[in-house]
Amino acid sequence: MRRRHTTWLALFAALMMVLAACGDSTDDTTATDDTEASTETTAAAAEPFRIAIVAPSASNDLAFTQSIVDAVDVIKGEMGNVEVAVTDGTFVVEDAAAAIRGYASEGYDLVIAHGSQYGGSLQEIAPDFPEVSFAWGTAADTFGIANVYSYEAASDEGGYVMGVMAAALSESGTIGVVGPIEVGDAKLYVDGFAAGAVAQNPAASVNINYTGSFGDVALASEAAQAHAAAGADVMSGTAQMVVGAVGVADEQGILWFGTQANQTSLAPDIVVASQVYHWEVILRDIISNLQSGKLGGEIYSINLANGGEVIEYNPAYALPDDVKQLAEDTIAGIVDGSISTGG
Amino acid sequence: MSDVPMLEMRGITKRFPGVLANYRVDFDVRSGEVHTLLGENGAGKSTLMKILYGLYQADEGEILLNGEPVEIHSPMDAIERNIGMIHQHFMLVETLTVAENVALGLPSDRGFRTDLDAVSERIEALAERYGLSIDPSAIVWQLAVGQRQRVEIIKALYREANLLILDEPTAVLTPQEVDQLFVTLRQMTADGRGLIFISHKLHEVLALSDRITVLRQGHITGKVPVEGATRESLAEMMVGRQVKLVPDKPPVEVGSAALEISGLRVVGDRGHETVRGLNLEVRAGEILGIAGVSGNGQREMAQAIAGLREVTGGSIRIGGVETTNLKPAEIRKHGLAYVTEGRLRDGAIADFSVSENIMLIDHADPRYLNRGLMDFRAIREHSQMLVDQYAVKTPNLETPAKNLSGGNIQKMILAREMSGTPTVLVASQPTRGVDIGAAEYIHSRLVQQRAEDTAILMISEDLDEVFALSDRIAVIYEGEIIGIVDPAAATREQVGLMMAGVRPEA
Amino acid sequence: MNEFFTQAILIATVASGIRLAVPLLLASLGETFGQRSGVLNLGVDGIMLLGAFGGYYTVLKTDSVWLGLLTGIGIGIILGLVSAVISVTLKAEQGISGIGIYLFGLGMSDLLFQKLVGTPRPVSSFPKLDIPGLSDIPILGEMLFQHSMIVYVAFGLVPVSMYIINRTTFGMNIRAVGENPEAADSLGVSVVRTRYLTVTIGGTLAGIAGAALAIDLGIFQQNLTNAQGFIAIALVYFGAWRPAGVMGGALLYGFVNSLVLQFKTLGIIPRSWSDIAAMAPAIITILALVLVARRFRQPAALTKPFTRGA
């Protein structure tokens, strides 16, 4: 069974009571998910393996949070007897900390704190629950605590590949990037993207616009408008608010490169490719460690080489073969170390 | 004219939790008369009128208008039945114009819009008939108090009120404005309107009324025609015992100047200079009364003397010592006592007990300290003595001040302030809002303090009080003393003119 | 550097500022009505969010932006009435009850989105409407008269609001009730009815603002408004409770935002300053409007529930 918790303070709980007629609305499967039901039957008498996710944005944001939720779904499909709980939308760190502590005290086997901003909370909570394993990302630090894993994405690698393709496809030579705040995963991706674009076309001008917000869709949309006005004919962007920018790109016929999740569904006409995170690659390692009694202490990274990062092309977009070949060569180069993303 | 009264209220009873506000009150008004409703604060006058105006519903009793029983559920009902009310606290919207205030709530004959030009025309006609000159396009906040009251009256007349309730209409007016108001009111009764006049200023009641009904604790204690009524007889009905309205003042030999103010300049809350070069001297053993319309710098002057407001020019000396811009505690050490006008705002701490309030000033005095800590026994004894001495009615010393009546809070403050036998006592509005009994007591205390050679500066908006207590009357106008008169020789009219800014003949 | 001064970029910046101002303008015009009558509704953002989801979902299902807008209006009316019941009839502490509405809207819109839609799916936006004649004016036409319909609606509501508040009998009642409800009541103006109307107008415009935002972006996401409703409330204060002032504030906020975005895009603002620059719109708007608004006083009865005879 899969449970989703959405912690919206007391008032929301009150609302739930009002909506009691709608049934037990906390037990929920993603509306778009139809593969879920079948796995229920595999739940045997054995104790399920229990995984909890605490993440800042919505589970289906087509970006950061969705990437981890999808990955855990894959794990569940592989292992079968897995119980998953998700608390999403906790952009307030205190709420996230409460959720993390709650799951730990409920005895979950693995609590995933999916946000670099949760590190401080985890540092306080993890030592109180030595039997529980915590995974924290994206970050490269376990604080030396025995039951904390950390994980990150080498998003600069995929970004670099995207940048190379973007520069190859751009006719104007002007490329726009929309970012949230210049930190963490977003910074890695944007820097990699810019490096790739310039490597492909040293004359390209890559305009980078950090809007200052992970959540302001309207601002991301206007940032895309600004890129368009500056002459960009290819754009990319990272974090959940970029859905606003994708809309503008679609409207103006500007090509788009996505990251963190496959964004093709947002604009099938103009999305060229997306860098997709497959955290299950490292989750497999973490879980097998867990089952052999090692609760933490490792730092994991997904990248092109270990298959944690995959470039997914939009089949509906007619990507010229030479550009696709260029992308594949670049991937191979990064994997074998002959290409540096500059990071 | 028929014998049926315009208004009859029969057997009105109204209870609030713990309070019987009106008990079987009968009250009537005939066309063309002024019927005064007299009583102390809390006697039930306002409740009765709010019932008449539809703001409250009576628990028992009935209301008849021109002999017909009516139900009045809201002010709208009252207005429709031609009842108007001039509230003590003006019911005006300060940010709207006079015409808008008058038109408010009236159905507009132009759909979504109100024809303010037509409203203005009618206002001007009414103003002319009743001597209420006013500019319909003026915004209310720009108007002086007297003008605002005219707007209130016009509002009622505009709605064709035949029965008009006037709730303490003179409280905020100068004597001249009161005279002018009375002219207007007489014109209204001459037109056949009935007026209900609410006041506790006895000489005004006697001057204006045809009949007087007195309320005490919700009960009617007297219903008399104005002929034969005296201030003393009315006061007795209000209080329930004989009252001395003018305290006996034994002659006291006046000493040297204890409070000397020269060229005082002080800036008010809004950044304007409100005290402008004020000169004044108060001598030991005299009560100097300051008469003036509120807002002419009285408050700022008193605060400056007490060190609560910065002096921007001039000087203040207490007992010959310069105290200008010293800290309040230092000024007190030089012999100043200060009874503020805002009892529960500046004068006492509402949530503190009686004992704590009494000890606010002296808490650091060695007499009440025991090795640096408060000596609660000494404090208790001292407070108990003062409570007894000043007849403060309180359940016990630990009762929070806010649970006391206004008069008892004022007595408590007086007890605190006068216990140290001050050189100078500044008393702002010492009896405002307190009942006649308490006022009588406070007056006698002030007179007693005067006999102990304290120089008393009394600021009051109640001219009766100023005349009754003062040895000299100084009139303040726009931050200056524009004249000092002897109350034995001067008339209320003379003082009233000075309050309006007319300087006495040199 | 000179790049910025190209005509295309100038036009884009102004047009972008106008677009950014629109949801704020709609919401703060509505809030102006409520506040002028003495009711502070801090729930604007919650109403916007539900209006946004409702509008978005309707367009997703029907592909009609007008039905979407209508849904936003309907949701706004309902939540406006709910707000009025809470603040006028139940006399709740307005600073707190509004937060309740906000949290309700925030949580409810997200829950509905998760249950009914799931993953963000794009929908169609408002059609562009070029004002005949005016849109052909060089530069200016492109800046001002080639927008989607909702932009003209929003700005058209400014003079309408001014007229209602300053010139009609209803507006006089609003001003009276917000300034001195006892006085208004004593003359038979229904304080309750007036406040119900203004708070419902406020809710309606907040619902429209949300629907306009979502439909114009063609997408919905958790917390789509990103606290724009709170900025709208601030604009009412800084716009000194006057529709024109509120419009000035919304435009200033929008323009500074679009200018900052444009400067970032062109590298005029270096990336190391990017995060600080993101605060510029709020800071500049607050500073500018504080200077203007200092001269005005808030409605005297703002946030004070009315009880007859109290």
Side-chain angles (χ1 to χ4, degrees):
Chain A
M1 271 190 309
R2 171 169 168 177
R3 288 197 292 147
R4 165 169 295 132
H5 297 265
T6 317
T7 54
W8 280 122
L9 311 182
L11 185 112
F12 198 43
L15 169 74
M16 292 305 194
M17 285 177 240
V18 177
L19 294 180
C22 308
D24 191 1
S25 46
T26 51
D27 275 13
D28 177 28
T29 54
T30 317
T32 52
D33 231 337
D34 45 9
T35 58
E36 229 51 71
S38 59
T39 59
E40 263 180 56
T41 51
T42 63
E47 279 286 299
F49 189 80
R50 301 168 79 208
I51 304 175
I53 304 169
V54 178
S57 54
S59 299
N60 38 24
D61 61 355
L62 285 183
F64 187 65
T65 297
Q66 181 158 5
S67 68
I68 193 75
V69 174
D70 287 351
V72 172
D73 273 350
V74 170
I75 293 290
K76 187 171 141 184
E78 292 169 359
M79 292 175 63
N81 191 15
V82 175
E83 182 188 320
V84 179
V86 180
T87 293
D88 60 2
T90 51
F91 53 86
V92 176
V93 172
E94 284 74 13
D95 294 346
I100 292 168
R101 188 173 281 280
Y103 286 129
S105 60
E106 282 174 36
Y108 275 77
D109 297 296
L110 175 61
V111 178
I112 301 172
H114 192 61
S116 46
Q117 66 268 43
Y118 302 155
S121 309
L122 208 60
Q123 219 172 343
E124 286 176 20
I125 296 168
D128 295 347
F129 300 94
E131 304 295 309
V132 176
S133 174
F134 296 88
W136 173 44
T138 54
D141 185 2
T142 63
F143 311 117
I145 301 173
N147 57 334
V148 172
Y149 289 105
S150 81
Y151 59 88
E152 60 176 345
S155 52
D156 52 322
E157 295 187 3
Y160 189 93
V161 179
M162 304 293 215
V164 168
M165 281 194 277
L169 290 171
S170 173
E171 288 168 16
S172 68
T174 302
I175 298 165
V177 184
V178 180
I181 294 171
E182 193 173 6
V183 290
D185 187 67
K187 176 174 165 52
L188 271 180
Y189 173 79
V190 172
D191 288 350
F193 183 93
V198 173
Q200 174 65 24
N201 174 9
S205 103
V206 183
N207 297 330
I208 296 168
N209 197 332
Y210 283 103
T211 63
S213 165
F214 282 91
D216 200 323
V217 181
L219 216 52
S221 155
E222 292 302 334
Q225 294 275 11
H227 283 313
D233 60 352
V234 181
M235 290 200 281
S236 182
T238 175
Q240 62 271 22
M241 82 296 164
V242 296
V243 292
V246 178
V248 171
D250 193 19
E251 188 185 296
Q252 308 219 359
I254 294 170
L255 297 179
W256 179 266
F257 289 90
T259 184
Q260 294 183 335
N262 191 327
Q263 293 172 347
T264 300
S265 65
L266 282 172
D269 295 341
I270 52 100
V271 172
V272 179
S274 302
Q275 167 179 233
V276 180
Y277 293 167
H278 289 280
W279 298 107
E280 60 269 25
V281 172
I282 55 142
L283 283 177
R284 284 187 200 113
D285 289 354
I286 289 176
I287 290 168
S288 77
N289 276 345
L290 276 180
Q291 285 166 339
S292 60
K294 182 170 156 58
L295 297 183
E298 294 272 337
I299 298 169
Y300 288 99
S301 178
I302 52 168
N303 50 44
L304 291 171
N306 66 17
E309 287 176 8
V310 175
I311 306 300
E312 293 182 3
Y313 300 96
N314 173 8
Y317 178 77
L319 184 64
D321 287 342
D322 57 332
V323 178
K324 185 160 186 176
Q325 191 54 50
L326 184 63
E328 293 302 323
D329 293 348
T330 308
I331 293 169
I334 292 171
V335 169
D336 69 22
S338 62
I339 294 175
S340 160
T341 62
Chain B
M1 226 188 305
S2 75
D3 285 347
V4 180
M6 295 176 76
L7 165 74
E8 263 192 282
M9 299 178 83
R10 288 187 192 156
I12 302 289
T13 295
K14 177 72 182 175
R15 294 180 186 87
F16 292 112
V19 184
L20 185 59
N22 287 145
Y23 183 68
R24 295 190 181 167
V25 173
D26 295 327
F27 185 74
D28 67 298
V29 181
R30 294 185 205 119
S31 167
E33 76 163 348
V34 177
H35 190 160
T36 290
L37 204 48
L38 184 65
E40 303 255 46
N41 291 324
K45 300 170 300 200
S46 293
T47 303
L48 188 66
M49 289 302 105
K50 282 182 173 169
I51 289 169
L52 175 57
Y53 200 60
L55 289 164
Y56 293 150
Q57 303 302 310
D59 297 330
E60 288 160 33
E62 56 175 353
I63 300 173
L64 291 83
L65 287 176
N66 301 314
E68 299 288 321
V70 292
E71 303 243 331
I72 301 173
H73 295 292
S74 70
M76 201 59 210
D77 285 353
I79 291 166
E80 275 173 17
R81 300 195 154 87
N82 299 92
I83 300 172
M85 184 156 177
I86 312 298
H87 299 266
Q88 183 180 3
H89 304 288
F90 296 150
M91 290 288 191
L92 293 174
V93 183
E94 294 204 356
T95 48
L96 300 189
T97 65
V98 171
E100 285 177 320
N101 266 284
V102 171
L104 206 56
L106 292 175
S108 62
D109 43 9
R110 270 214 211 157
F112 289 123
R113 293 194 58 181
T114 299
D115 186 352
L116 289 173
D117 292 338
V119 173
S120 299
E121 265 175 48
R122 257 197 80 195
I123 289 174
E124 276 164 356
L126 284 169
E128 195 171 336
R129 170 150 184 79
Y130 292 98
L132 297 161
S133 91
I134 198 88
D135 171 12
S137 64
I139 298 172
V140 167
W141 62 260
Q142 300 169 327
L143 301 180
V145 174
Q147 292 173 301
R148 292 183 189 202
Q149 188 169 64
R150 282 180 224 156
V151 180
E152 283 285 32
I153 295 172
I154 288 171
K155 263 164 61 181
L157 293 174
Y158 195 96
R159 287 168 174 72
E160 293 169 351
N162 283 329
L163 180 65
L164 216 70
I165 307 161
L166 298 137
D167 189 3
E168 307 229 8
T170 62
V172 291
L173 303 182
T174 64
Q176 275 69 34
E177 286 174 321
V178 170
D179 290 346
Q180 213 181 339
L181 172 68
F182 283 8
V183 170
T184 300
L185 297 183
R186 289 199 182 98
Q187 175 69 52
M188 285 161 58
T189 51
D191 288 352
R193 292 189 170 83
L195 304 184
I196 303 170
F197 182 66
I198 298 172
S199 178
H200 58 247
K201 292 186 180 173
L202 298 174
H203 72 271
E204 289 176 356
V205 169
L206 290 170
L208 186 70
S209 313
D210 296 300
R211 287 191 295 156
I212 300 159
T213 290
V214 183
L215 279 176
R216 185 170 78 236
Q217 290 170 3
H219 296 66
I220 289 186
T221 54
K223 188 168 276 197
V224 295
V226 74
E227 296 83 15
T230 64
R231 292 175 58 191
E232 284 71 20
S233 70
L234 294 176
E236 195 177 331
M237 283 188 266
M238 286 168 76
V239 182
R241 63 176 168 81
Q242 280 208 319
V243 178
K244 202 170 262 172
L245 291 171
V246 178
D248 295 326
K249 282 201 318 183
V252 170
E253 198 166 318
V254 173
S256 55
L259 173 65
E260 299 160 85
I261 302 172
S262 66
L264 183 68
R265 290 184 178 277
V266 185
V267 174
D269 289 338
R270 294 188 182 173
H272 304 298
E273 194 170 69
T274 50
V275 178
R276 302 170 182 150
L278 182 142
N279 298 302
L280 195 63
E281 229 181 65
V282 189
R283 295 185 288 246
E286 77 164 345
I287 298 177
L288 183 122
I290 299 275
V293 177
S294 78
N296 272 286
Q298 297 97 314
R299 186 165 148 262
E300 290 82 358
M301 173 188 72
Q303 288 174 334
I305 295 170
L308 299 170
R309 192 176 277 276
E310 197 192 344
V311 174
T312 52
S315 77
I316 299 167
R317 295 160 74 85
I318 290 173
V321 183
E322 176 88 25
T323 62
T324 317
N325 282 337
L326 292 185
K327 291 192 183 118
E330 292 167 346
I331 297 176
R332 283 184 176 278
K333 281 198 192 116
H334 289 296
L336 177 83
Y338 179 33
V339 176
T340 59
E341 60 176 86
R343 268 195 295 279
L344 277 182
R345 201 183 56 222
D346 319 315
I349 299 176
D351 288 318
F352 273 29
S353 71
V354 170
S355 171
E356 284 168 329
N357 267 296
I358 286 177
M359 296 309 298
L360 276 181
I361 296 165
D362 285 335
H363 63 267
D365 188 297
R367 281 178 294 167
Y368 310 115
L369 292 179
N370 187 356
R371 279 178 245 154
L373 298 173
M374 287 190 162
D375 182 344
F376 286 105
R377 201 168 137 190
I379 287 173
R380 210 162 37 240
E381 281 168 7
H382 177 69
S383 332
Q384 190 62 52
M385 184 195 78
L386 288 175
V387 162
D388 294 344
Q389 207 178 334
Y390 283 81
V392 181
K393 275 182 215 147
T394 171
N396 58 56
L397 290 176
E398 306 314 317
T399 305
K402 64 182 176 192
N403 292 0
L404 270 49
S405 75
N408 281 304
I409 295 170
Q410 194 71 334
K411 286 196 265 183
M412 176 190 81
I413 294 169
L414 220 58
R416 180 184 72 206
E417 295 296 326
M418 305 216 284
S419 64
T421 317
T423 313
V424 173
L425 170 68
V426 175
S428 276
Q429 319 292 355
T431 63
R432 182 163 69 186
V434 315
D435 55 51
I436 293 185
E440 181 192 21
Y441 183 82
I442 291 166
H443 287 162
S444 72
R445 271 288 164 182
L446 291 174
V447 169
Q448 199 175 323
Q449 200 65 42
R450 161 180 172 269
E452 286 170 29
D453 275 345
T454 297
I456 299 173
L457 179 65
M458 184 186 74
I459 300 163
S460 176
E461 282 161 31
D462 179 352
L463 262 191
D464 287 343
E465 181 172 57
V466 171
F467 268 92
L469 254 67
S470 305
D471 296 302
R472 292 189 294 152
I473 298 174
V475 181
I476 192 169
Y477 179 75
E478 294 197 339
E480 279 183 79
I481 300 297
I482 70 165
I484 297 184
V485 297
D486 175 0
T491 63
R492 297 174 60 90
E493 284 66 33
Q494 284 171 329
V495 173
L497 279 175
M498 288 161 70
M499 283 164 69
V502 180
R503 283 173 194 273
E505 309 280 323
Chain C
M1 288 275 165
N2 309 344
E3 273 178 303
F4 180 68
F5 301 102
T6 71
Q7 191 172 310
I9 285 173
L10 192 68
I11 290 168
T13 306
V14 173
S16 164
I18 290 173
R19 281 193 303 267
L20 282 167
V22 163
L24 293 170
L25 176 59
L26 285 164
S28 49
L29 277 179
E31 179 74 4
T32 301
F33 278 91
Q35 291 203 13
R36 278 307 277 271
S37 76
V39 183
L40 169 71
N41 185 359
L42 283 183
V44 176
D45 204 53
I47 302 176
M48 283 178 75
L49 279 165
L50 276 170
F53 174 74
Y56 165 79
Y57 188 65
T58 307
V59 180
L60 187 67
K61 290 292 160 192
T62 66
D63 204 32
S64 160
V65 292
W66 306 115
L67 281 179
L69 193 61
L70 215 59
T71 308
I73 292 173
I75 287 171
I77 290 174
I78 292 167
L79 287 173
L81 281 169
V82 170
S83 308
V85 170
I86 293 171
S87 54
V88 181
T89 305
L90 302 178
K91 304 185 197 335
E93 177 67 46
Q94 289 170 16
I96 295 165
S97 64
I99 298 294
I101 299 207
Y102 162 63
L103 290 173
F104 171 78
L106 181 65
M108 189 72 186
S109 60
D110 185 40
L111 177 75
L112 290 173
F113 178 68
Q114 306 283 352
K115 281 192 81 83
L116 300 176
V117 184
T119 269
R121 277 188 273 165
V123 298
S124 29
S125 306
F126 291 111
K128 288 256 187 303
L129 177 66
D130 295 358
I131 306 278
L134 293 175
S135 59
D136 300 333
I137 304 171
I139 304 178
L140 218 56
E142 222 176 317
M143 282 177 181
L144 306 179
F145 302 109
Q146 298 185 10
H147 283 286
S148 67
M149 226 269 314
I150 195 73
V151 174
Y152 309 116
V153 170
F155 285 90
L157 281 173
V158 174
V160 172
S161 303
M162 286 168 74
Y163 180 82
I164 291 174
I165 290 174
N166 295 318
R167 295 269 173 260
T168 66
T169 310
F170 174 53
M172 193 165 83
N173 291 348
I174 293 174
R175 286 180 287 142
V177 163
E179 201 63 37
N180 189 343
E182 288 78 20
D185 180 62
S186 76
L187 294 175
V189 175
S190 170
V191 176
V192 170
R193 200 184 59 200
T194 306
R195 287 185 171 174
Y196 259 81
L197 281 167
T198 56
V199 174
T200 305
I201 290 173
T204 309
L205 284 171
I208 296 176
L213 179 69
I215 298 172
D216 221 32
L217 290 169
I219 202 86
F220 185 85
Q221 192 180 71
Q222 175 191 54
N223 192 22
L224 182 80
T225 58
N226 201 44
Q228 286 197 40
F230 290 98
I231 293 165
I233 293 167
L235 289 178
V236 176
Y237 275 80
F238 299 134
W241 297 272
R242 281 151 182 80
V246 162
M247 178 180 75
L251 280 174
L252 182 66
Y253 190 87
F255 283 142
V256 176
N257 245 323
S258 70
L259 211 58
V260 167
L261 281 177
Q262 200 63 255
F263 281 176
K264 283 182 188 170
T265 300
L266 300 174
I268 295 171
I269 295 175
R271 251 160 63 197
S272 50
W273 283 73
S274 188
D275 299 343
I276 291 166
M279 296 178 215
I283 293 168
I284 290 173
T285 308
I286 287 170
L287 282 181
L289 293 169
V290 159
L291 291 176
V292 177
R294 261 201 321 202
R295 285 185 274 127
F296 298 94
R297 210 168 47 86
Q298 72 174 41
L302 187 57
T303 76
K304 298 192 183 90
F306 172 72
T307 308
R308 175 176 290 172

